Amino acid sequence: METDCLFCKIVNGEVPSLKIYEDEFTFAFLDIHPINRGHTLVVPKEHHQNIYTVPQSVFQHVMDTVRILAPKIKQAVAADGINIGINNETAAGQLVFHLHAHIIPRFNDDGHAHWHGNPYQTGEIETIKDIITQEFK
Ligand code: 5GP
Ligand code: ZN
């Protein structure tokens, strides 16, 4: 429990939320500013800032809950698909620094664009592969 963390306060009931699921390790509630109806956040009850600091077992519990909830939310709001996302650090759009997975229902006509990709320059993809795999050595 981090005293100044919004999602810790939601988990312990200090800040109200619309809870849709809870188990021993995780808590899921509706995002107050949804991308689409049914947009849900899944958080570990333990405070961890992001993907770099979360222990494996805690992360697994979060993903287990995401897997349970995604098809139920899809069914409940009659979505056509689901995005799962985790933002890590400000550059990636993280606003609340308590790890959370977004479950975002998607609709064929919802107007949200897919990621905009860009092509690599010639030879660049091989270089990127090399510099990433170096990190494992
Ligand atoms: P992030 O950008 O950190 O990945 O996502 C934070 C999410 O938390 C945002 O989608 C935002 O709408 C949601 N959020 C922020 N404050 C509250 C709150 O007080 N209650 C709920 N239910 N969601 C919140
Ligand atoms: Zn927290």
Side-chain angles (χ1 to χ4, degrees):
M1 166 78 194
E2 284 272 309
T3 47
D4 61 350
C5 171
L6 173 62
F7 287 173
C8 283
K9 288 179 180 166
I10 284 181
V11 168
N12 73 21
E14 211 177 311
V15 169
S17 70
L18 277 301
K19 179 178 84 174
I20 62 164
Y21 177 87
E22 181 177 10
D23 62 25
E24 188 179 352
F25 303 106
T26 65
F27 191 95
F29 55 100
L30 292 179
D31 193 302
I32 208 168
H33 191 210
I35 289 173
N36 280 322
R37 63 182 184 268
H39 182 166
T40 296
L41 302 174
V42 179
V43 304
K45 288 185 170 178
E46 264 182 35
H47 179 90
H48 298 285
Q49 192 161 332
N50 55 33
I51 193 71
Y52 319 123
T53 55
V54 68
Q56 183 181 22
S57 63
V58 175
F59 189 65
Q60 282 175 340
H61 289 308
V62 171
M63 288 297 108
D64 286 347
T65 297
V66 167
R67 195 187 65 83
I68 290 166
L69 295 188
K72 295 193 186 305
I73 293 167
K74 177 178 185 289
Q75 178 74 18
V77 301
D80 300 306
I82 293 271
N83 285 128
I84 307 296
I86 298 176
N87 300 327
N88 296 280
E89 300 188 270
T90 305
Q94 186 174 14
L95 298 172
V96 179
F97 294 93
H98 177 134
L99 178 95
H100 51 281
H102 293 257
I103 301 176
I104 305 166
R106 295 296 305 273
F107 300 87
N108 289 330
D109 61 352
D110 67 17
H112 296 300
H114 192 52
W115 299 99
H116 177 67
N118 297 298
Y120 281 113
Q121 303 297 311
T122 305
E124 196 183 1
I125 194 168
E126 291 81 5
T127 306
I128 297 296
K129 179 246 173 197
D130 287 343
I131 62 172
I132 291 172
T133 54
Q134 278 296 327
E135 294 295 324
F136 295 95
K137 291 182 178 148

